[in-house]
Amino acid sequence: MKRNVLLWIGLGCTYLSVAAQQIEMVTTTATERWKGQKVKVLKNDGQKADVYVYTDSLMQEVDGFGGTFNELGWDALQCLDAEERGKVMEALFAKEGINFAYGRTPIACSDYAFAYYSYDDVKDDYEMRNFNVGRDRYTLIPYIKEALKLRLDLKLWASPWTPPIWMKINEHYSLKSHGVDKLGTGHNRLDPRRATFIHTTGFNMQVGYLEAYALYFSKYIQEYRKNGVNISMVMPQNEIAWQPAWPSCTWRPEDLAIFVGKFLAPQFKKDGIDTEIWLGTVNYPNPDYVRAFLKDKDAAAAIDGIGVQWTGKQALPVIQREYPRYRYMQTENECGDGENDWTSLERSWKAVVHCFNHGVSSYMYWNMVLDETGKSGWDWAQNSLVRVNRQTREVVYTDEFYLMKHLSHFVQPGSRRLKVSAPGNMLAFRNHEGKTVVVTCNSGPQPEKRNLQIGGQRLEFELPPLSLATLVCG
C-alpha cells in the first residue's frame, strides 16, 4: 500500500502530514525567531532511536506558565500608544502569543515598584481601619485587567515582599543596609545597626501583629475582588530566606508555620475566603526548611502547594518525593543581570527542565515588561520578556520571550508531562488538545540531528546551532 504524504506550509510553520498524523516543528535562534522546520518520518524498520518519548507514561498534570505584573512594567508600557501597548499584551496573553495561563502580582511593594508602600502604614492599626489598595487602582490593577481582557480564565496569585513596617522587628521595609554592590548604606537609608540576621524572623511574632497580618491578607483579597480581580492563591512571603536592601522579610519555618496554621488559615475560614494558601516562596536549597514547616500539623493541613524560587529548586528532588500530595510551582525564573541574550535563554531552559523533571506543575517568569534599562529603584538591571525603549518607543521581544512561547503556546492547563529516555535536555507533554509536544535545545555551535521515537512513530529532524525547538505531533 502506497503511503500518502502531504506537505503544507502555513502560518510560518511547516506541517508534514502522514496519513492522519500532522506534525509541526518550529525553531528559534538568536537571529531567526519562530521559524518552521521540516520533519522526516522514518520507516519502522527496527532501527533504534536516539530518544524515546513514552506516550503512555503520564506524569504530573500541568497547571501552566506565567509571568509577573509589576509597577515598573506598567510604567514602561505607558510610553506606547494604545494600539502598540495592546500588541504587547496580546503577545503575552493571547492564544496566538505566549498564551500565559498564570499571573503573579505583589501584595503592595516589590523591588520593581516605584517606591516603598503597604496597604496600611498606620502604626498599630490592628483592625485594619486604614487598609487601602487605592494606589494599585492606578498601576497593578489596570495592568492585570488588560491581561484579563485577553484571557478571562487567567489565574492570579500573590505574595508580599514585606509586611507593613510596624509589624516588623526593625520597623523598616528592608532588613539590610547596602546597595546592589553590597557596600555602604543603600538607597533605603537603613541604619546598619537595625539590620537582621538571615536565619531569624523579621516579623514581630506578637499575637496582635499576627492577627493583624492575617486580616491584612483577607482584606487584600476582598478589596481586589471588589476591583474585579480574583486572587486564587497566596504565598505568605516572597523569598523567605533572603535579606536584600529592598522590601523583604525573613521567616524561620517554625514561625511561618504558626502564622499560616493558627492565624492566616483561620482568618480565611472566618471570612469565607476560598483562596488557596501555599508555602512559599522558598528560596532555601536545604529541604529541612520545608520539613520543619510541615511538622506543624495545622500549617501542613492549611496549604495546597509549595512554591520554590531560585536556589529553592535544589530542594525539589527531595521534597517532591517526600510530600507528593502537594502541588509544586517554580515561582520566579532567575532574573539575570539585564543581559537579555542567548545565555539567559539557556540558563532558564535548564531551570525549566530541572523543575518539571522534579514535579512542578507551573512555572513563572519574573518581569514580563521593563524599559530599556531594566533597572529597579535599587539599580539592579534585570531581564524581561519584552523591552520598551522610552525614547524611541521601540519594542524588543527577547530570547526568553521565545523560550516561554515555545512552552506555553503549546502546553496549556490540563496537559500532562510524559516520560522521555533522555530527560536532561528535553521535555515532552501530552497537551490539552491530546497532541504530543516535545521541546528540546541545541546548545552547540553546529547543526544537530535528532532521531526520535514518539509512540509508534520514528521522526528525524535537524536543529540549527544554538537553537530551541518545539515539535508537535497529533
Side-chain angles (χ1 to χ4, degrees):
M1 182 176 178
K2 192 173 180 180
R3 185 184 293 268
N4 178 34
V5 179
L6 173 65
L7 186 66
W8 176 57
I9 309 291
L11 298 176
C13 296
T14 301
Y15 294 80
L16 182 65
S17 179
V18 180
Q21 181 78 7
Q22 192 178 69
I23 301 170
E24 171 188 358
M25 181 174 167
V26 60
T27 62
T28 289
T29 69
T31 56
E32 290 187 302
R33 315 296 207 178
W34 209 248
K35 182 181 178 182
Q37 298 287 350
K38 293 181 180 180
V39 180
K40 183 178 181 181
V41 180
L42 303 176
K43 293 180 180 179
N44 284 318
D45 54 6
Q47 295 284 332
K48 286 188 176 182
D50 299 327
V51 182
Y52 290 81
V53 176
Y54 303 103
T55 55
D56 57 348
S57 295
L58 300 178
M59 313 299 280
Q60 76 266 29
E61 185 170 331
V62 177
D63 292 331
F65 297 84
T68 307
F69 300 94
N70 265 325
E71 285 191 337
L72 292 184
W74 183 241
D75 184 56
L77 285 168
Q78 301 318 297
C79 299
L80 305 175
D81 61 34
E83 182 180 357
E84 290 302 310
R85 187 163 58 246
K87 289 179 181 178
V88 172
M89 295 302 291
E90 287 174 359
L92 293 167
F93 292 99
K95 287 184 178 180
E96 297 76 18
I98 293 180
N99 199 13
F100 273 150
Y102 266 87
R104 180 188 184 185
T105 185
I107 298 177
C109 67
S110 73
D111 49 317
Y112 271 80
F114 290 118
Y116 291 130
Y117 76 101
S118 83
Y119 301 128
D120 191 343
D121 282 329
V122 178
K123 185 175 174 60
D124 293 346
D125 183 11
Y126 297 108
E127 285 76 33
M128 292 287 129
R129 292 190 180 95
N130 296 282
F131 186 95
N132 193 311
V133 298
R135 172 179 174 140
D136 290 4
R137 289 201 294 268
Y138 298 94
T139 53
L140 293 173
I141 290 173
Y143 194 1
I144 293 168
K145 284 189 171 181
E146 286 300 307
L148 288 170
K149 289 178 185 177
L150 296 163
R151 176 133 197 184
L152 292 174
D153 64 344
L154 183 70
K155 291 190 71 174
L156 295 158
W157 69 276
S159 63
W161 269 239
T162 177
I165 62 174
W166 51 273
M167 299 182 188
K168 295 172 71 176
I169 59 174
N170 70 341
E171 296 190 331
H172 196 282
Y173 284 97
S174 303
L175 298 179
K176 184 173 284 188
S177 178
H178 60 65
V180 171
D181 59 3
K182 295 183 169 54
L183 299 174
T185 300
H187 298 274
N188 57 35
R189 296 294 183 260
L190 173 64
D191 185 334
R193 291 169 294 187
R194 291 170 60 195
T196 65
F197 284 104
I198 193 166
H199 296 303
T200 58
T201 295
F203 190 87
N204 190 327
M205 293 295 292
Q206 293 180 29
V207 170
Y209 296 132
L210 291 162
E211 290 175 341
Y213 200 33
L215 183 58
Y216 183 89
F217 275 85
S218 177
K219 283 188 170 290
Y220 165 75
I221 292 164
Q222 294 177 66
E223 288 300 312
Y224 258 58
R225 284 182 181 171
K226 289 177 185 177
N227 283 276
V229 176
N230 181 54
I231 303 297
S232 62
M233 180 256 285
V234 294
M235 297 191 197
Q237 176 61 50
N238 175 71
E239 294 184 319
I240 292 165
W242 194 33
Q243 46 178 174
W246 44 87
S248 53
C249 188
T250 49
W251 291 79
R252 294 175 64 251
E254 296 85 355
D255 290 338
L256 190 64
I258 290 170
F259 172 64
V260 169
K262 295 176 174 58
F263 293 90
L264 184 59
Q267 184 72 51
F268 279 13
K269 184 177 181 180
K270 175 184 175 184
D271 295 337
I273 291 174
D274 60 359
T275 300
E276 293 182 355
I277 301 170
W278 284 40
L279 168 59
T281 65
V282 180
N283 60 318
Y284 196 68
N286 191 321
D288 285 345
Y289 190 100
V290 174
R291 289 169 176 151
F293 177 92
L294 293 176
K295 284 181 181 178
D296 186 306
K297 293 181 180 179
D298 292 334
I303 67 167
D304 293 280
I306 298 170
V308 299
Q309 188 161 316
W310 285 50
T311 56
K313 68 180 181 290
Q314 296 175 27
L316 264 177
V318 175
I319 61 174
Q320 194 275 334
R321 184 178 66 250
E322 292 183 0
Y323 306 103
R325 80 176 186 88
Y326 295 111
R327 304 206 311 279
Y328 289 84
M329 173 188 283
Q330 196 291 129
T331 58
E332 183 182 310
N333 188 77
E334 293 187 25
C335 55
D337 295 302
E339 63 276 7
N340 283 302
D341 60 15
W342 195 260
T343 64
S344 305
L345 180 148
E346 290 194 340
R347 181 177 61 244
S348 296
W349 164 245
K350 289 176 183 177
V352 171
V353 171
H354 170 86
C355 289
F356 274 97
N357 281 339
H358 292 102
V360 304
S361 57
S362 46
Y363 191 100
M364 302 295 303
Y365 195 82
W366 178 219
N367 279 296
M368 293 182 288
V369 182
L370 290 176
D371 68 20
E372 73 281 2
T373 71
K375 287 187 176 181
S376 68
W378 284 266
D379 282 337
W380 184 0
Q382 298 182 8
N383 294 347
S384 61
L385 301 177
V386 182
R387 279 287 167 93
V388 178
N389 189 302
R390 294 171 296 177
Q391 282 72 46
T392 65
R393 308 297 190 262
E394 181 188 15
V395 176
V396 175
Y397 295 92
T398 68
D399 294 331
E400 288 184 289
F401 171 90
Y402 288 95
L403 169 61
M404 291 294 107
K405 189 172 181 180
H406 270 273
L407 294 158
S408 185
H409 181 81
F410 301 102
V411 181
Q412 288 289 300
S415 302
R416 296 283 295 274
R417 184 171 71 89
L418 298 175
K419 182 180 177 181
V420 298
S421 63
N425 187 33
M426 182 178 291
L427 287 172
F429 304 89
R430 186 191 70 184
N431 77 358
H432 57 295
E433 298 175 331
K435 298 178 180 179
T436 300
V437 177
V438 177
V439 189
T440 188
C441 183
N442 176 13
S443 298
Q446 301 298 325
E448 187 175 290
K449 278 194 174 182
R450 296 284 171 86
N451 189 308
L452 207 63
Q453 183 83 25
I454 301 177
Q457 193 168 50
R458 195 153 61 93
L459 308 174
E460 185 177 80
F461 53 88
E462 184 173 273
L463 297 178
L466 295 176
S467 66
L468 185 73
T470 299
L471 178 75
V472 183
C473 305

